[in-house]
Amino acid sequence: MQMQNVNGILNEIFREWIEYKNADLAFVSVIRGVKYFPKMKKQGLFLEAYYALMRGVDNYVDGDVPLKSITPVEFLEDRLTFLEEFQQKPDIEANHQYDGLLKHCMNLGKEFGQEFYQETEDIYRSMLFDARRYGKLEAFSEFDLDTHFFILDIRGTVRGMLKIIGEPLEKGKFLDNLAIATRIYYNIRDLPEDFAAGFLNISRESMSWFGITYGDIEKVEYLSYKYMDDVTKESKEDLLKNYYLSLPDAVKSWIYQESVTGLELLDQHKKLMSKDSFSGFMRNIAFPLIYEKPAREYFEKVIEILE
């Protein structure tokens, strides 16, 4: 894949993410800026391209980009098939631009001595789980959801991050709390978007514990559609506050408790971060700016709204 084509694809994906998905500019700046740090150029180029690849593929899965004559499930199965074939035949021709971007990413990884086939398969399979439940608002067990998010967040994302920064995979134990807190943050932040797309990330056990009924789920679905239809960059803060306050009490209780749990996990993560655990760049820049700060601020905002 020629560099000019790669840059064009990356710029388009990030532009759409900022313009249509209200992406956090600071987060995007970190993802795209790592390549400018000393001794991190190759890793930074990989991170930028790989993150864009996953954002682009996910846009098809969650319906942001419509597919022609193929379902999201079939689209993901095609990506997994190409990944398997590419492992066996590195010179295989890519028939989709995201397969070409995948080849580009894997070649970048080899430049700093790492392979990301397993992590990519884990993330793709996690997306496939979402593609199969898209639009159904189906309740899953806590085990099924935890397994799904473990494959995505721990085995896929955390392992990938450790490889990028050149740390032993055994150090993943230091990041478990951060990964779980970040997943809670995503689930709460994306609640209206997920419900509008038919994703239910509240386990059956949580529904039972908090007394969440399917009537509550239907109300959240309606409020989520309305929010997604009305929201703009300018109105997001006010509409989001009204959205949370309009939710059924049982759902608000679940969100509140999840936010409290998220803050506790972030505090536990901070205690585990010793001077010798990771490099200063990761402890002071990457982890705080990409994960900790946005999650903590969102949890605190939601708690303030719901108290």
Side-chain angles (χ1 to χ4, degrees), residues 104-152:
H104 174 72
C105 290
M106 294 305 179
N107 289 333
L108 286 173
K110 289 178 181 178
E111 290 185 15
F112 56 94
Q114 295 288 1
E115 291 186 345
F116 294 86
Y117 294 110
Q118 185 60 59
E119 290 76 19
T120 303
E121 181 181 346
D122 288 338
I123 295 172
Y124 276 179
R125 291 201 179 280
S126 182
M127 289 182 182
L128 184 59
F129 176 83
D130 278 343
R132 285 174 173 154
R133 65 187 182 125
Y134 176 78
K136 297 178 180 178
L137 276 180
E138 180 181 357
F140 288 85
S141 69
E142 188 173 318
F143 175 81
D144 286 339
L145 287 177
D146 285 351
T147 300
H148 163 56
F149 291 129
F150 173 83
I151 291 172
L152 174 62

Side-chain angles (χ1 to χ4, degrees), residues 22 26 41 44 85 120 124 140 152 170 174 189 194 202 204 223-224 226 237 254 257 260 275 284 302:
N22 296 320
K41 182 176 181 179
E85 292 175 347
T120 303
Y124 276 179
F140 288 85
L152 174 62
E170 292 75 22
F174 292 109
R189 182 198 65 184
D194 285 344
I202 307 175
R204 289 198 294 263
L223 292 170
S224 298
K226 190 174 186 306
E237 286 298 316
W254 174 77
Q257 186 55 54
V260 170
K275 185 176 180 181
N284 301 320
V302 169

Side-chain angles (χ1 to χ4, degrees), residues 176-178 180-182 184 256-272 295-296 299-300 303:
D176 285 353
N177 290 328
L178 178 62
I180 297 170
T182 302
I184 293 173
Y256 183 89
Q257 186 55 54
E258 287 287 283
S259 299
V260 170
T261 300
L263 285 176
E264 291 172 350
L265 287 166
L266 288 176
D267 290 340
Q268 291 170 22
H269 163 75
K270 197 169 184 178
K271 289 178 182 178
L272 282 174
R296 184 177 295 278
F299 291 145
E300 290 174 346
I303 289 172

Side-chain angles (χ1 to χ4, degrees), residues 22 34 41 48 56 62 88 113 145 214 227 239 259 264 272:
N22 296 320
V34 171
K41 182 176 181 179
E48 178 185 37
D62 60 20
Q88 299 169 357
L145 287 177
Y214 279 97
Y227 171 84
L239 284 178
S259 299
E264 291 172 350
L272 282 174

Side-chain angles (χ1 to χ4, degrees), residues 20-75:
Y20 299 114
K21 303 286 283 186
N22 296 320
D24 187 298
L25 292 178
F27 180 84
V28 175
S29 296
V30 172
I31 293 295
R32 305 204 74 178
V34 171
K35 61 181 180 285
Y36 298 114
F37 283 84
K39 301 180 180 179
M40 289 294 290
K41 182 176 181 179
K42 293 177 181 178
Q43 293 88 335
L45 288 170
F46 171 86
L47 178 64
E48 178 185 37
Y50 194 78
Y51 201 90
L53 168 65
M54 295 307 162
R55 286 297 320 176
V57 172
D58 192 54
N59 284 340
Y60 286 109
V61 176
D62 60 20
D64 288 337
V65 178
L67 288 163
K68 297 179 180 178
S69 68
I70 189 174
T71 68
V73 170
E74 292 168 333
F75 176 78

